Amino acid sequence: METYRIISRETYPRCAHLDYFCTMAQPYAGLTVPVDITAFHQAVEARKVPFFLSFLYCAARAANGVPELRQRLRGEEILEYDHCPTSHTVALEDGTYCYCTLRSDLPFSDYLPHAIQTQEAAKAQRSLDDGGEEDALPLLFISTLPWVHYEALVQPTPSPADTNPRITWGRFRREGDRVVLPVSLLCHHGLVDGLHMAHFYANLERELAQWVEKG
C-alpha cells in the first residue's frame, strides 16, 4: 500500500478549479509533445538495454517529480502520494495485452533486472487486474504505440472520471540528426494545469539527460 497525505480543501489553492472541472463530462486535459531523445537513443543502443523499460524509468521519475501528478481524488478527499508506481501495457503473442506494475524509486541498475523479471511474470499471468480500486488509485497508467509515429492521440477514459495520469509514447522518428519521440500526457484538469504538464516535460528532459550521463 502506497503512503499518502490528505490535502485539506480549506487550504488547497485549486479547490474552485477542482469543483468546476468535476462538473464536466470529460474533465481531462492532454498534450502530445515531440521529445528529442537523440542522446538517449544512442546510449540505449550502446548499452544494449531495452528501450521501453529504460524510457519508462525516466518517464515515471519525471512524473513523480511533479506533486500534482501524484495527487488523486478519493471521494471528496484529495490525496497526495509519496510515490506513484506505473502500470504499463505488455503485448502478448495473441495481439492482446496485460498489465504490469513497477516502481521507479530505485537505481536503474536495480530497476532493470527487477522490471524484466516482473514483466515476464505479468506475461505469464496475463491479467488486466490492477489490484482493486484502492490499489489502482496511485498508479500512473502507461502505454505505447511502437508501430506509429503520431502527432496527436485520443485516449479512452472512464465515466465517472478517474484522476490517474496517462502517459503514452509512439514510434521514434529520425529528423535530420535528431531522434524524436511523441510523448502524450493526459490528466484530470481539476488537479493538473498546463503549467504542471510543462513541468513533467521539463523533468523528462532532465531525467533522460541524467540517465545518459549516469547510466
Side-chain angles (χ1 to χ4, degrees), residues 57 99 103 120 124 163 167 209:
Y57 179 78
Y99 292 148
R103 298 180 63 91
E120 288 304 310
T163 49
I167 304 170

Side-chain angles (χ1 to χ4, degrees), residues 5-19 68 71 76-80 190-191:
R5 69 184 182 97
I6 298 176
I7 301 175
S8 170
R9 282 181 172 264
E10 294 180 359
T11 58
Y12 182 59
R14 290 181 50 81
C15 194
H17 305 76
L18 176 60
D19 291 342
E68 290 76 12
Q71 293 173 2
E76 292 297 312
E77 292 181 319
I78 305 168
L79 311 182
E80 184 175 300
L191 297 172

